Amino acid sequence: MFFIQELEKTITLHPSYFRPQMRDYLIHKLHADVEGSCTGQFYIICVIDHEKITPGKIIPGRGDAEFTIHYKAIVYRPFRGETVDAVVTSVSKMGFFAEVGALQCFVSKQCIPSDMPFDETASPPQYSDGGDQVITRGAHVRMKLVGVRSDVGKMFATGSIKEDYLGWVTQLLGNITLLPHPLTHRVLQSFIGRVSLKNFVVRHDHLFPNLSEWS
Amino acid sequence: MTTPQPPTARAKDPITGDEEAGKELRLGEFTNAVGLTLSEARTLMSVIFEHRREAGKYAVPDNDIVKKTQDYLEVFSRFKQQETAQAVERILVGQSDLSSFERAQLGSLCCDTAEEAKTLIPSLAEKRTDEDLQDLLEEITRLRQFV
C-alpha cells in the first residue's frame, strides 16, 4: 500500500560543491539517489518535500561535508495479508506472474482455485474457467499477498486467489460509469471493445436498472 | 518522587519481520504513517511532477520503478477527477474509528458489499457492523458513478 513516510538521508559532498547552489544540488542528489529505489522493506517512489537539512559537518581528516536531509516521500510497502489488484505478466503451468506497479508477485497453482485449470492448448497459455474468467497476459486479477521477500534493491511477493472475491476482475476502461440511458448503452458498446459488455453489466448491474427495456 | 533513571544499556532495535495486515494490523514502522488510496497517490504524484516540470529546478525521475508505478496507478485508480477524489477523501477522513490503512484500502478496492469488504480487509470484521459498512460503501460507489 502507498504511504507518506518521513525518512532521512545522509549525503556527503565533496568540497568542490561548496558554492551558492549547494542546497539545490543536495536536493537534486537526494532525488536522484532515492526516487525509484528500494530499501528492501519498501519502494520509495517520489520525494514530496524536504523539511530540514542539517548544517554540513566537515568530516575530520577529509574536506567532505556531511548533510542529513529529513524529507517526506510517497513509498510503496506491501504487507502480508493485503488485498491488491495486479496485472498478469506471464502464465505457466506452475502458476502466473503479476505485477503490482514495481512489485512482482507470483501466484502458484496451489493458490489458484481448482475450477480454473491451466489450459495449455489455448494460445496464449491461460488459466480459464471455460467462461469469461480468463487469466492470461494482460488480465487484471485481485489477489491477497501471502508472503513478501526482500532482496537487495528488489522485493518479491507471493499471492493467492483462492478466497472469495479474489481472482479475475473486469478491466474498466478509464472511469466510465454512466447514467443508465439507452443512448449510453450504445456508446458503451462501441467503447468497451475487447471487454465483454455482458461481463461489465453483470458486475455493475446497479447501473442498469432498466436493462430489460433496452434493445 | 523519583527522578527518571538515565538508560544503562542501548535501546534494543524494534523486532521486524512479522508485519502483516491480516485480522490484526501489525504494520511495524508504518503504524502511524498516512495511508494513500491509489487515486490519492496518483493525484499527488502528478501534482508534484507537474510542479517540478513547471519550476524547472528539479528533474522528474526517469526510472523503471517510478514509470511502472505511474502506469499501475493510471490503470487502477478509480477516482480520476479532482472533485470526486476530494469527495471520497472527505468521506473516508470522517471515519475516525478505522485506521489509515483500512481507510486507504476501502478507497482503493471499492467493494460493492460489506461482506466483500470484510473478506478483503479482514481487520474490518470487528470494527463495523454490516449495515454501517454497507452505507459507507454505497456512498463511495455513488461517487464512482460520476466521470
Side-chain angles (χ1 to χ4, degrees), chain A residues 78-199:
Chain A
F79 284 99
R80 234 183 326 142
E82 184 187 343
T83 307
V84 294
D85 288 327
V87 181
V88 176
T89 50
S90 70
V91 177
S92 79
K93 64 178 197 289
M94 308 293 289
F96 64 86
F97 282 94
E99 275 183 2
V100 181
L103 176 73
Q104 197 176 54
C105 306
F106 176 66
V107 179
S108 85
K109 192 152 185 356
Q110 286 83 28
C111 294
I112 301 175
S114 43
D115 61 358
M116 294 201 76
F118 182 59
D119 189 353
E120 246 163 341
T121 54
S123 168
Q126 57 189 227
Y127 284 87
S128 160
D129 66 345
D132 286 325
Q133 298 201 29
V134 174
I135 296 181
T136 183
R137 188 157 187 264
H140 292 182
V141 288
R142 187 164 272 188
M143 62 168 86
K144 212 169 239 195
L145 297 179
V146 165
V148 177
R149 195 188 91 215
S150 57
D151 218 351
V152 174
K154 278 187 277 210
M155 295 179 79
F156 296 103
T158 47
S160 159
I161 56 171
K162 218 164 188 176
E163 264 180 60
D164 288 335
Y165 303 107
L166 297 177
W168 184 86
V169 288
T170 330
Q171 299 202 22
L172 283 177
L173 284 177
N175 205 14
I176 310 171
T177 304
L178 347 136
L179 311 172
H181 185 279
L183 177 59
T184 3
H185 183 218
R186 277 198 290 282
V187 167
L188 177 59
Q189 250 178 329
S190 59
F191 231 118
I192 288 265
R194 62 196 159 112
V195 175
S196 96
L197 175 62
K198 170 175 153 274
N199 225 0

Side-chain angles (χ1 to χ4, degrees), chain B residues 41-113:
Chain B
R42 176 185 164 274
T43 315
L44 192 51
M45 268 175 76
S46 54
V47 161
I48 292 172
F49 291 157
E50 195 58 49
H51 178 78
R52 274 198 215 164
R53 268 185 217 113
E54 279 170 16
K57 211 169 167 194
Y58 302 119
V60 170
D62 182 29
N63 68 53
D64 239 6
I65 287 179
V66 176
K67 283 211 171 69
K68 279 186 174 175
T69 307
Q70 273 185 301
D71 293 338
Y72 172 79
L73 289 174
E74 198 59 45
V75 169
F76 287 108
S77 63
R78 307 276 180 147
F79 308 102
K80 297 199 168 64
Q81 299 290 320
Q82 211 191 17
E83 303 85 41
T84 44
Q86 282 176 351
V88 171
E89 214 179 301
R90 250 177 283 135
I91 297 174
L92 289 172
V93 155
Q95 317 297 317
S96 46
D97 58 328
L98 302 180
S99 81
S100 185
F101 180 88
E102 288 154 353
R103 276 180 261 151
Q105 281 285 71
L106 283 172
S108 304
L109 297 174
C110 292
C111 307
D112 292 320
T113 62

Side-chain angles (χ1 to χ4, degrees), chain B residues 23-47:
Chain B
K23 271 224 137 212
E24 196 192 302
L25 283 182
R26 284 200 296 267
L27 306 183
E29 54 176 348
F30 287 88
T31 319
N32 299 320
V34 174
L36 297 172
T37 63
L38 299 182
S39 320
E40 282 169 4
R42 176 185 164 274
T43 315
L44 192 51
M45 268 175 76
S46 54
V47 161

